[in-house]
PDB file of all heavy atoms in Angstrom:
ATOM      1  N   SER A1318       9.394  33.662  18.665  1.00 89.00           N
ATOM      2  CA  SER A1318       8.581  33.660  19.882  1.00 89.00           C
ATOM      3  C   SER A1318       9.492  34.048  21.041  1.00 89.00           C
ATOM      4  O   SER A1318      10.711  34.113  20.885  1.00 89.00           O
ATOM      5  CB  SER A1318       7.994  32.265  20.118  1.00 89.00           C
ATOM      6  OG  SER A1318       8.995  31.378  20.590  1.00 89.00           O
ATOM      7  N   PRO A1319       8.926  34.291  22.217  1.00 84.00           N
ATOM      8  CA  PRO A1319       9.792  34.614  23.366  1.00 84.00           C
ATOM      9  C   PRO A1319      10.786  33.503  23.692  1.00 84.00           C
ATOM     10  O   PRO A1319      11.796  33.752  24.342  1.00 84.00           O
ATOM     11  CB  PRO A1319       8.782  34.802  24.508  1.00 84.00           C
ATOM     12  CG  PRO A1319       7.528  35.239  23.828  1.00 84.00           C
ATOM     13  CD  PRO A1319       7.503  34.482  22.532  1.00 84.00           C
ATOM     14  N   GLU A1320      10.512  32.289  23.232  1.00 87.00           N
ATOM     15  CA  GLU A1320      11.413  31.169  23.505  1.00 87.00           C
ATOM     16  C   GLU A1320      12.428  30.938  22.392  1.00 87.00           C
ATOM     17  O   GLU A1320      13.238  29.999  22.460  1.00 87.00           O
ATOM     18  CB  GLU A1320      10.607  29.876  23.705  1.00 87.00           C
ATOM     19  CG  GLU A1320       9.797  29.830  25.000  1.00 87.00           C
ATOM     20  CD  GLU A1320       8.568  30.705  24.946  1.00 87.00           C
ATOM     21  OE1 GLU A1320       7.908  30.722  23.882  1.00 87.00           O
ATOM     22  OE2 GLU A1320       8.276  31.387  25.942  1.00 87.00           O
ATOM     23  N   SER A1321      12.402  31.746  21.348  1.00 93.00           N
ATOM     24  CA  SER A1321      13.317  31.534  20.222  1.00 93.00           C
ATOM     25  C   SER A1321      14.767  31.610  20.681  1.00 93.00           C
ATOM     26  O   SER A1321      15.135  32.458  21.501  1.00 93.00           O
ATOM     27  CB  SER A1321      13.064  32.577  19.140  1.00 93.00           C
ATOM     28  OG  SER A1321      11.813  32.377  18.515  1.00 93.00           O
ATOM     29  N   ASN A1322      15.575  30.718  20.109  1.00 95.00           N
ATOM     30  CA  ASN A1322      16.981  30.608  20.517  1.00 95.00           C
ATOM     31  C   ASN A1322      17.841  31.520  19.644  1.00 95.00           C
ATOM     32  O   ASN A1322      18.466  31.084  18.685  1.00 95.00           O
ATOM     33  CB  ASN A1322      17.433  29.146  20.394  1.00 95.00           C
ATOM     34  CG  ASN A1322      18.774  28.912  21.057  1.00 95.00           C
ATOM     35  OD1 ASN A1322      19.535  29.834  21.305  1.00 95.00           O
ATOM     36  ND2 ASN A1322      19.070  27.658  21.352  1.00 95.00           N
ATOM     37  N   PHE A1323      17.875  32.791  19.998  1.00 96.00           N
ATOM     38  CA  PHE A1323      18.649  33.755  19.228  1.00 96.00           C
ATOM     39  C   PHE A1323      20.143  33.479  19.330  1.00 96.00           C
ATOM     40  O   PHE A1323      20.891  33.741  18.380  1.00 96.00           O
ATOM     41  CB  PHE A1323      18.341  35.180  19.682  1.00 96.00           C
ATOM     42  CG  PHE A1323      16.937  35.630  19.381  1.00 96.00           C
ATOM     43  CD1 PHE A1323      16.131  36.166  20.366  1.00 96.00           C
ATOM     44  CD2 PHE A1323      16.426  35.528  18.095  1.00 96.00           C
ATOM     45  CE1 PHE A1323      14.840  36.586  20.092  1.00 96.00           C
ATOM     46  CE2 PHE A1323      15.138  35.945  17.808  1.00 96.00           C
ATOM     47  CZ  PHE A1323      14.338  36.467  18.812  1.00 96.00           C
ATOM     48  N   THR A1324      20.568  32.942  20.445  1.00 96.00           N
ATOM     49  CA  THR A1324      21.993  32.626  20.605  1.00 96.00           C
ATOM     50  C   THR A1324      22.433  31.605  19.564  1.00 96.00           C
ATOM     51  O   THR A1324      23.453  31.782  18.882  1.00 96.00           O
ATOM     52  CB  THR A1324      22.268  32.090  22.020  1.00 96.00           C
ATOM     53  OG1 THR A1324      21.918  33.093  22.972  1.00 96.00           O
ATOM     54  CG2 THR A1324      23.731  31.710  22.183  1.00 96.00           C
ATOM     55  N   ALA A1325      21.665  30.538  19.437  1.00 97.00           N
ATOM     56  CA  ALA A1325      21.990  29.502  18.444  1.00 97.00           C
ATOM     57  C   ALA A1325      21.894  30.053  17.033  1.00 97.00           C
ATOM     58  O   ALA A1325      22.696  29.708  16.157  1.00 97.00           O
ATOM     59  CB  ALA A1325      21.051  28.311  18.607  1.00 97.00           C
ATOM     60  N   ALA A1326      20.918  30.925  16.799  1.00 97.00           N
ATOM     61  CA  ALA A1326      20.747  31.496  15.464  1.00 97.00           C
ATOM     62  C   ALA A1326      21.952  32.328  15.058  1.00 97.00           C
ATOM     63  O   ALA A1326      22.483  32.183  13.946  1.00 97.00           O
ATOM     64  CB  ALA A1326      19.477  32.344  15.423  1.00 97.00           C
ATOM     65  N   VAL A1327      22.402  33.199  15.927  1.00 97.00           N
ATOM     66  CA  VAL A1327      23.541  34.059  15.613  1.00 97.00           C
ATOM     67  C   VAL A1327      24.804  33.224  15.428  1.00 97.00           C
ATOM     68  O   VAL A1327      25.594  33.449  14.504  1.00 97.00           O
ATOM     69  CB  VAL A1327      23.732  35.129  16.711  1.00 97.00           C
ATOM     70  CG1 VAL A1327      25.004  35.929  16.463  1.00 97.00           C
ATOM     71  CG2 VAL A1327      22.523  36.062  16.746  1.00 97.00           C
ATOM     72  N   LYS A1328      24.979  32.224  16.280  1.00 96.00           N
ATOM     73  CA  LYS A1328      26.139  31.349  16.153  1.00 96.00           C
ATOM     74  C   LYS A1328      26.138  30.618  14.813  1.00 96.00           C
ATOM     75  O   LYS A1328      27.190  30.405  14.201  1.00 96.00           O
ATOM     76  CB  LYS A1328      26.156  30.340  17.300  1.00 96.00           C
ATOM     77  CG  LYS A1328      27.384  29.445  17.312  1.00 96.00           C
ATOM     78  CD  LYS A1328      27.377  28.505  18.520  1.00 96.00           C
ATOM     79  CE  LYS A1328      28.606  27.613  18.523  1.00 96.00           C
ATOM     80  NZ  LYS A1328      28.595  26.687  19.698  1.00 96.00           N
ATOM     81  N   ALA A1329      24.928  30.260  14.324  1.00 97.00           N
ATOM     82  CA  ALA A1329      24.806  29.534  13.058  1.00 97.00           C
ATOM     83  C   ALA A1329      24.760  30.462  11.847  1.00 97.00           C
ATOM     84  O   ALA A1329      24.652  29.985  10.717  1.00 97.00           O
ATOM     85  CB  ALA A1329      23.559  28.660  13.084  1.00 97.00           C
ATOM     86  N   GLY A1330      24.823  31.762  12.088  1.00 96.00           N
ATOM     87  CA  GLY A1330      24.800  32.703  10.975  1.00 96.00           C
ATOM     88  C   GLY A1330      23.443  32.847  10.331  1.00 96.00           C
ATOM     89  O   GLY A1330      23.335  33.128   9.136  1.00 96.00           O
ATOM     90  N   ILE A1331      22.388  32.672  11.115  1.00 98.00           N
ATOM     91  CA  ILE A1331      21.025  32.835  10.599  1.00 98.00           C
ATOM     92  C   ILE A1331      20.606  34.288  10.801  1.00 98.00           C
ATOM     93  O   ILE A1331      20.628  34.806  11.921  1.00 98.00           O
ATOM     94  CB  ILE A1331      20.047  31.893  11.320  1.00 98.00           C
ATOM     95  CG1 ILE A1331      20.445  30.432  11.075  1.00 98.00           C
ATOM     96  CG2 ILE A1331      18.612  32.135  10.857  1.00 98.00           C
ATOM     97  CD1 ILE A1331      19.725  29.443  11.961  1.00 98.00           C
ATOM     98  N   GLU A1332      20.246  34.954   9.713  1.00 98.00           N
ATOM     99  CA  GLU A1332      19.829  36.349   9.780  1.00 98.00           C
ATOM    100  C   GLU A1332      18.425  36.435  10.373  1.00 98.00           C
ATOM    101  O   GLU A1332      17.596  35.536  10.174  1.00 98.00           O
ATOM    102  CB  GLU A1332      19.902  36.973   8.393  1.00 98.00           C
ATOM    103  CG  GLU A1332      21.316  36.910   7.826  1.00 98.00           C
ATOM    104  CD  GLU A1332      21.455  37.502   6.430  1.00 98.00           C
ATOM    105  OE1 GLU A1332      20.521  38.184   5.966  1.00 98.00           O
ATOM    106  OE2 GLU A1332      22.507  37.267   5.808  1.00 98.00           O
ATOM    107  N   LEU A1333      18.145  37.519  11.082  1.00 98.00           N
ATOM    108  CA  LEU A1333      16.938  37.588  11.899  1.00 98.00           C
ATOM    109  C   LEU A1333      16.095  38.818  11.596  1.00 98.00           C
ATOM    110  O   LEU A1333      16.613  39.926  11.480  1.00 98.00           O
ATOM    111  CB  LEU A1333      17.321  37.601  13.384  1.00 98.00           C
ATOM    112  CG  LEU A1333      18.075  36.364  13.883  1.00 98.00           C
ATOM    113  CD1 LEU A1333      18.669  36.633  15.254  1.00 98.00           C
ATOM    114  CD2 LEU A1333      17.156  35.149  13.910  1.00 98.00           C
ATOM    115  N   SER A1334      14.789  38.600  11.503  1.00 98.00           N
ATOM    116  CA  SER A1334      13.858  39.717  11.410  1.00 98.00           C
ATOM    117  C   SER A1334      13.632  40.317  12.791  1.00 98.00           C
ATOM    118  O   SER A1334      13.591  39.601  13.797  1.00 98.00           O
ATOM    119  CB  SER A1334      12.523  39.239  10.841  1.00 98.00           C
ATOM    120  OG  SER A1334      11.571  40.281  10.829  1.00 98.00           O
ATOM    121  N   VAL A1335      13.459  41.632  12.813  1.00 97.00           N
ATOM    122  CA  VAL A1335      13.161  42.343  14.057  1.00 97.00           C
ATOM    123  C   VAL A1335      12.044  43.342  13.776  1.00 97.00           C
ATOM    124  O   VAL A1335      12.114  44.112  12.823  1.00 97.00           O
ATOM    125  CB  VAL A1335      14.407  43.091  14.593  1.00 97.00           C
ATOM    126  CG1 VAL A1335      14.023  44.061  15.697  1.00 97.00           C
ATOM    127  CG2 VAL A1335      15.450  42.101  15.097  1.00 97.00           C
ATOM    128  N   SER A1336      11.012  43.330  14.633  1.00 96.00           N
ATOM    129  CA  SER A1336       9.905  44.266  14.435  1.00 96.00           C
ATOM    130  C   SER A1336       9.539  45.025  15.699  1.00 96.00           C
ATOM    131  O   SER A1336       8.550  45.748  15.711  1.00 96.00           O
ATOM    132  CB  SER A1336       8.668  43.512  13.914  1.00 96.00           C
ATOM    133  OG  SER A1336       8.304  42.478  14.809  1.00 96.00           O
ATOM    134  N   SER A1337      10.348  44.856  16.750  1.00 96.00           N
ATOM    135  CA  SER A1337      10.050  45.569  17.996  1.00 96.00           C
ATOM    136  C   SER A1337      11.347  45.846  18.748  1.00 96.00           C
ATOM    137  O   SER A1337      12.365  45.175  18.545  1.00 96.00           O
ATOM    138  CB  SER A1337       9.117  44.736  18.883  1.00 96.00           C
ATOM    139  OG  SER A1337       9.788  43.598  19.394  1.00 96.00           O
ATOM    140  N   LEU A1338      11.270  46.811  19.629  1.00 96.00           N
ATOM    141  CA  LEU A1338      12.433  47.121  20.465  1.00 96.00           C
ATOM    142  C   LEU A1338      12.788  45.956  21.377  1.00 96.00           C
ATOM    143  O   LEU A1338      13.967  45.688  21.633  1.00 96.00           O
ATOM    144  CB  LEU A1338      12.140  48.361  21.310  1.00 96.00           C
ATOM    145  CG  LEU A1338      12.150  49.704  20.578  1.00 96.00           C
ATOM    146  CD1 LEU A1338      11.644  50.805  21.498  1.00 96.00           C
ATOM    147  CD2 LEU A1338      13.554  50.032  20.073  1.00 96.00           C
ATOM    148  N   ALA A1339      11.770  45.227  21.829  1.00 94.00           N
ATOM    149  CA  ALA A1339      12.038  44.094  22.723  1.00 94.00           C
ATOM    150  C   ALA A1339      12.851  43.030  22.000  1.00 94.00           C
ATOM    151  O   ALA A1339      13.827  42.494  22.551  1.00 94.00           O
ATOM    152  CB  ALA A1339      10.718  43.512  23.230  1.00 94.00           C
ATOM    153  N   GLU A1340      12.467  42.697  20.761  1.00 95.00           N
ATOM    154  CA  GLU A1340      13.234  41.724  19.978  1.00 95.00           C
ATOM    155  C   GLU A1340      14.644  42.233  19.725  1.00 95.00           C
ATOM    156  O   GLU A1340      15.623  41.489  19.830  1.00 95.00           O
ATOM    157  CB  GLU A1340      12.551  41.447  18.635  1.00 95.00           C
ATOM    158  CG  GLU A1340      11.445  40.436  18.684  1.00 95.00           C
ATOM    159  CD  GLU A1340      10.888  40.131  17.308  1.00 95.00           C
ATOM    160  OE1 GLU A1340      11.077  40.939  16.372  1.00 95.00           O
ATOM    161  OE2 GLU A1340      10.233  39.080  17.167  1.00 95.00           O
ATOM    162  N   LEU A1341      14.737  43.497  19.355  1.00 96.00           N
ATOM    163  CA  LEU A1341      16.034  44.086  19.047  1.00 96.00           C
ATOM    164  C   LEU A1341      16.976  43.985  20.247  1.00 96.00           C
ATOM    165  O   LEU A1341      18.149  43.609  20.103  1.00 96.00           O
ATOM    166  CB  LEU A1341      15.853  45.545  18.638  1.00 96.00           C
ATOM    167  CG  LEU A1341      17.121  46.318  18.301  1.00 96.00           C
ATOM    168  CD1 LEU A1341      17.804  45.732  17.072  1.00 96.00           C
ATOM    169  CD2 LEU A1341      16.792  47.809  18.085  1.00 96.00           C
ATOM    170  N   LYS A1342      16.481  44.286  21.422  1.00 95.00           N
ATOM    171  CA  LYS A1342      17.325  44.247  22.608  1.00 95.00           C
ATOM    172  C   LYS A1342      17.751  42.829  22.957  1.00 95.00           C
ATOM    173  O   LYS A1342      18.895  42.586  23.363  1.00 95.00           O
ATOM    174  CB  LYS A1342      16.595  44.909  23.775  1.00 95.00           C
ATOM    175  CG  LYS A1342      16.480  46.432  23.605  1.00 95.00           C
ATOM    176  CD  LYS A1342      15.655  47.066  24.697  1.00 95.00           C
ATOM    177  CE  LYS A1342      15.558  48.589  24.460  1.00 95.00           C
ATOM    178  NZ  LYS A1342      14.690  49.255  25.461  1.00 95.00           N
ATOM    179  N   ARG A1343      16.836  41.873  22.781  1.00 94.00           N
ATOM    180  CA  ARG A1343      17.186  40.475  23.063  1.00 94.00           C
ATOM    181  C   ARG A1343      18.281  39.985  22.123  1.00 94.00           C
ATOM    182  O   ARG A1343      19.179  39.258  22.521  1.00 94.00           O
ATOM    183  CB  ARG A1343      15.944  39.584  22.930  1.00 94.00           C
ATOM    184  CG  ARG A1343      14.950  39.712  24.064  1.00 94.00           C
ATOM    185  CD  ARG A1343      13.857  38.674  23.925  1.00 94.00           C
ATOM    186  NE  ARG A1343      14.408  37.318  23.996  1.00 94.00           N
ATOM    187  CZ  ARG A1343      13.832  36.257  23.456  1.00 94.00           C
ATOM    188  NH1 ARG A1343      12.716  36.379  22.753  1.00 94.00           N
ATOM    189  NH2 ARG A1343      14.389  35.069  23.584  1.00 94.00           N
ATOM    190  N   ILE A1344      18.189  40.380  20.870  1.00 96.00           N
ATOM    191  CA  ILE A1344      19.178  39.937  19.884  1.00 96.00           C
ATOM    192  C   ILE A1344      20.507  40.662  20.082  1.00 96.00           C
ATOM    193  O   ILE A1344      21.585  40.092  19.904  1.00 96.00           O
ATOM    194  CB  ILE A1344      18.629  40.148  18.466  1.00 96.00           C
ATOM    195  CG1 ILE A1344      17.462  39.178  18.210  1.00 96.00           C
ATOM    196  CG2 ILE A1344      19.719  39.959  17.408  1.00 96.00           C
ATOM    197  CD1 ILE A1344      16.671  39.477  16.961  1.00 96.00           C
ATOM    198  N   SER A1345      20.445  41.917  20.489  1.00 94.00           N
ATOM    199  CA  SER A1345      21.669  42.728  20.588  1.00 94.00           C
ATOM    200  C   SER A1345      22.596  42.267  21.702  1.00 94.00           C
ATOM    201  O   SER A1345      23.799  42.552  21.674  1.00 94.00           O
ATOM    202  CB  SER A1345      21.311  44.202  20.786  1.00 94.00           C
ATOM    203  OG  SER A1345      20.733  44.415  22.077  1.00 94.00           O
ATOM    204  N   ILE A1346      22.052  41.542  22.686  1.00 94.00           N
ATOM    205  CA  ILE A1346      22.900  41.115  23.805  1.00 94.00           C
ATOM    206  C   ILE A1346      23.477  39.714  23.599  1.00 94.00           C
ATOM    207  O   ILE A1346      24.243  39.219  24.425  1.00 94.00           O
ATOM    208  CB  ILE A1346      22.128  41.159  25.139  1.00 94.00           C
ATOM    209  CG1 ILE A1346      20.932  40.203  25.113  1.00 94.00           C
ATOM    210  CG2 ILE A1346      21.695  42.580  25.468  1.00 94.00           C
ATOM    211  CD1 ILE A1346      20.197  40.096  26.452  1.00 94.00           C
TER     212      ILE A1346
END
Side-chain angles (χ1 to χ4, degrees):
S1318 75
E1320 290 75 40
S1321 291
N1322 191 341
F1323 293 128
T1324 299
V1327 174
K1328 184 177 180 180
I1331 298 168
E1332 301 179 13
L1333 299 167
S1334 176
V1335 168
S1336 57
S1337 70
L1338 286 172
E1340 277 184 340
L1341 179 64
K1342 289 175 181 177
R1343 286 187 62 205
I1344 291 168
S1345 69
I1346 62 175

